[in-house]
Amino acid sequence: MSDSVPDIPDLRALLAEASRPTATVTVPLKQGLREQIEAAEAELESVAADAKPTRMGAQSPLRVAAAKVESLRAEMAASALTFTFESLTAGERDQIRQDMRGRDNPDEVNLRAIAAMCRKVTGPDGAAYADAMTWEDFASLRDAVGAQTFDLTIDAAASRAAGGQWSVPFSRNASHILGTET
């Protein structure tokens, strides 16, 4: 009879693999172009419905309308910034409390946390900006793009990075493809 000892897991090795949650979101800053794009798209549909053959060499009204839509879309896309957030460390959280100096302003605390969690901001070309955004920058951005857009994009991504989604994500697609339901 053998006295085999079951393998004891190495807790320290497992703890060394821990990492903080992250989240990324891309937000076009020129949100005001959305209505112009929708109007140009409606104009394109109208031109398409009424399209008549054009003479050779003449520019098609359909192509002109389509080019207008794409030009506006390109302008909006060129204004996009990508924000990368990572959960706060205990030291960063304590620093926010110290910076607040006992003031009770939940909105400012949230904006300070967003700014502290923002690890990187990149432009549409993928180049990272060297300057870190302050909580005041995020407050101004919220006013510029609108509170609802800010809440549904930037604040939501920061909340995900803060650890709001701590369990192992389920993949419906992978589960379906692999034929399992677990």
Side-chain angles (χ1 to χ4, degrees):
M1 181 177 223
S2 117
D3 289 333
S4 65
V5 177
D7 289 338
I8 298 173
D10 183 0
L11 179 60
R12 298 294 180 256
L14 185 60
L15 292 174
E17 294 178 14
S19 62
R20 294 192 306 275
T22 62
T24 302
V25 65
T26 300
V27 182
L29 300 184
K30 292 186 176 181
Q31 289 291 315
L33 290 175
R34 182 173 308 282
E35 187 174 12
Q36 292 178 41
I37 292 168
E38 290 169 358
E41 184 70 28
E43 181 184 329
L44 174 61
E45 289 175 13
S46 175
V47 170
D50 299 336
K52 295 179 175 70
T54 60
R55 287 193 234 161
M56 289 179 80
Q59 192 166 18
S60 160
L62 193 58
R63 290 186 69 74
V64 170
K68 181 178 178 182
V69 170
E70 286 305 307
S71 174
L72 288 167
R73 288 183 72 249
E75 183 180 350
M76 188 173 182
S79 75
L81 293 179
T82 300
F83 300 87
T84 302
F85 299 98
E86 182 179 68
S87 186
L88 293 173
T89 64
E92 290 168 330
R93 185 181 56 200
D94 290 344
Q95 185 62 52
I96 291 170
R97 289 181 183 139
Q98 289 174 11
D99 292 344
M100 291 296 295
R101 295 186 181 113
R103 285 179 285 124
D104 183 23
N105 184 335
D107 185 52
E108 183 180 335
V109 169
N110 185 54
L111 290 168
R112 284 180 180 275
I114 289 170
M117 288 189 298
C118 186
R119 305 301 185 200
K120 182 169 67 170
V121 179
T122 56
D125 60 356
Y129 291 94
D131 297 340
M133 288 184 65
T134 66
W135 73 270
E136 293 97 340
D137 293 331
F138 279 105
S140 295
L141 179 58
R142 179 180 58 193
D143 289 342
V145 299
Q148 182 74 358
T149 298
F150 184 89
D151 291 346
L152 294 174
T153 58
I154 294 168
D155 192 37
S159 292
R160 286 190 311 272
Q165 301 293 325
W166 51 267
S167 62
V168 177
F170 176 74
S171 173
R172 182 182 321 267
N173 292 332
S175 179
H176 177 71
I177 290 168
L178 297 174
T180 64
E181 292 294 326
T182 60

